[in-house]
Amino acid sequence: MLRIKAQPLLQTHRSCWPLVLQRGHRQASIKHVCLLSERRRQGVLYPFSGLVEHLSSQDNQAEFNIFHPSLEELRQAETLFTPSSKHVIDYSTSAVRMDHVPILKQPEVCFMGRSNVGKSSLIRALFSLAPEVDVRVSKTPGHTKKLNFFTVGKAFTLVDMPGYGHMAPRDFVEMVEPYLQERQNLVRTFLLVDGGAGLQKADLVAVEMCEEFNLPFVLVVTKIDRTRQGALLGLLLQLRDFIKNQTSTCFPQPFLVSSVQFSGIYLLRCFIAHVTGNVQLTTKQL
């Protein structure tokens, strides 16, 4: 669950904004990224660009750039993740059963992954421009025990799902399956894969669940800052083949992210904005 270890200075939400902003990542906004050198900027905005030179001539790099918005479209998406008096971004509620789930009509996306995959850190990075959001990260794997709902104005809702695997809550299946099956406004499921560990058995079960329920989903590779480029490229090629040969509802392009370096955060924001119908791209996307 998105919760920071309790500290005296972080007891209240709004009174601690300056402190949160001070601790915010220096690259939380694109305007700061644009001050970087061209190579570093491309690596942060489009992480795959750093792997292109290592591709074999037999591999088609276009397969990893299916979703490739312009810098202006990335900026448009960023405004969606920037709060204002008329566009409030905040934690909404939590639920353990479908009869506790809030009734919302706006598009919804959910984030799933094994315990300790970096899910909470990723969501915190996505919401880094909204210091009023109570985004807390526990050092204890499997801390998220409920479905946690975050509303982004009237644009969409983001749902943080409990982690699966050996640290999953006992009622994980009873909690998650009904939500995935019955949530009518769920437009995309984001399935996180640890960049250092690759696809695990528990991930394959999650993939099977998405396929069985005919859910559009996308694979997101986390912790890419901890993974050597050769190993990361190997995993990316493996995921490409896995998606192509063993899935039917998965977006063909895996996404690469680092919550530490902010690589891929802007691209993922834009993809979320796009699939929820809030940003229309000039180039055709799947």
Side-chain angles (χ1 to χ4, degrees):
M1 184 178 179
L2 297 177
R3 295 288 184 268
I4 291 176
K5 190 186 229 183
Q7 297 179 20
L9 291 176
L10 293 179
Q11 301 246 330
T12 59
H13 294 187
R14 301 186 185 276
S15 61
C16 67
W17 281 14
L19 179 61
V20 176
L21 285 171
Q22 183 180 355
R23 292 182 176 181
H25 199 284
R26 64 183 180 276
Q27 293 176 7
S29 176
I30 289 179
K31 67 180 180 181
H32 298 300
V33 178
C34 288
L35 300 176
L36 301 174
S37 67
E38 173 66 18
R39 182 179 179 87
R40 287 187 63 195
R41 180 169 67 248
Q42 287 296 312
V44 172
L45 297 179
Y46 309 102
F48 177 71
S49 64
L51 300 176
V52 171
E53 60 187 278
H54 303 292
L55 270 182
S56 163
S57 58
Q58 298 178 344
D59 293 312
N60 182 6
Q61 70 178 47
E63 293 180 312
F64 302 101
N65 287 311
I66 296 170
F67 184 80
H68 194 80
S70 66
L71 181 60
E72 180 56 34
E73 288 162 341
L74 293 178
R75 286 196 179 103
Q76 290 178 30
E78 182 173 289
T79 63
L80 197 65
F81 286 84
T82 305
S84 67
S85 59
K86 296 182 179 180
H87 182 68
V88 179
I89 304 174
D90 210 348
Y91 163 77
S92 174
T93 189
S94 297
V96 293
R97 299 195 307 268
M98 276 304 290
D99 55 355
H100 293 169
V101 169
I103 300 175
L104 299 168
K105 294 183 179 180
Q106 60 202 45
E108 204 158 88
V109 297
C110 71
F111 279 66
M112 296 178 60
R114 288 189 304 115
S115 300
N116 204 34
V117 75
K119 176 167 54 64
S120 295
S121 296
L122 173 57
I123 296 174
R124 179 175 60 177
L126 290 170
F127 285 145
S128 58
L129 295 171
E132 69 275 26
V133 179
D134 187 17
V135 180
R136 304 176 181 179
V137 178
S138 171
K139 294 182 179 179
T140 305
H143 191 69
T144 305
K145 302 297 185 183
K146 302 177 181 179
L147 308 176
N148 300 308
F149 293 76
F150 295 83
T151 51
V152 180
K154 297 180 180 179
F156 69 91
T157 303
L158 187 150
V159 184
D160 179 20
M161 310 282 276
Y164 53 75
H166 71 284
M167 297 296 292
R170 292 183 179 180
D171 56 350
F172 175 85
V173 173
E174 292 79 5
M175 189 188 317
V176 170
E177 277 198 1
Y179 169 82
L180 294 176
Q181 280 185 297
E182 301 172 21
R183 196 63 166 172
Q184 296 298 314
N185 57 331
L186 178 63
V187 297
R188 193 76 53 153
T189 296
F190 291 79
L191 183 56
L192 276 52
V193 177
D194 190 317
L199 278 173
Q200 302 293 299
K201 287 184 178 179
D203 297 321
L204 297 178
V205 173
V207 168
E208 289 177 5
M209 186 184 302
C210 291
E211 290 284 326
E212 179 183 350
F213 300 154
N214 199 32
L215 297 175
F217 69 103
V218 57
L219 297 181
V220 180
V221 180
T222 63
K223 305 179 183 179
I224 64 171
D225 54 289
R226 300 184 185 180
T227 310
R228 289 181 296 115
Q229 284 195 326
L232 185 59
L233 179 59
L235 174 60
L236 202 56
L237 294 172
Q238 176 193 358
L239 293 179
R240 177 202 61 184
D241 295 340
F242 173 78
I243 293 171
K244 185 184 300 183
N245 299 323
Q246 300 188 49
T247 72
S248 60
T249 62
C250 185
F251 189 73
Q253 173 187 329
F255 286 79
L256 304 174
V257 296
S258 165
S259 301
V260 175
Q261 299 176 344
F262 261 60
S263 303
I265 297 298
Y266 317 92
L267 190 64
L268 193 59
R269 282 176 181 161
C270 194
F271 187 74
I272 294 171
H274 177 60
V275 298
T276 55
N278 290 286
V279 170
Q280 303 300 321
L281 304 187
T282 55
T283 55
K284 185 178 179 181
Q285 310 287 338
L286 291 180

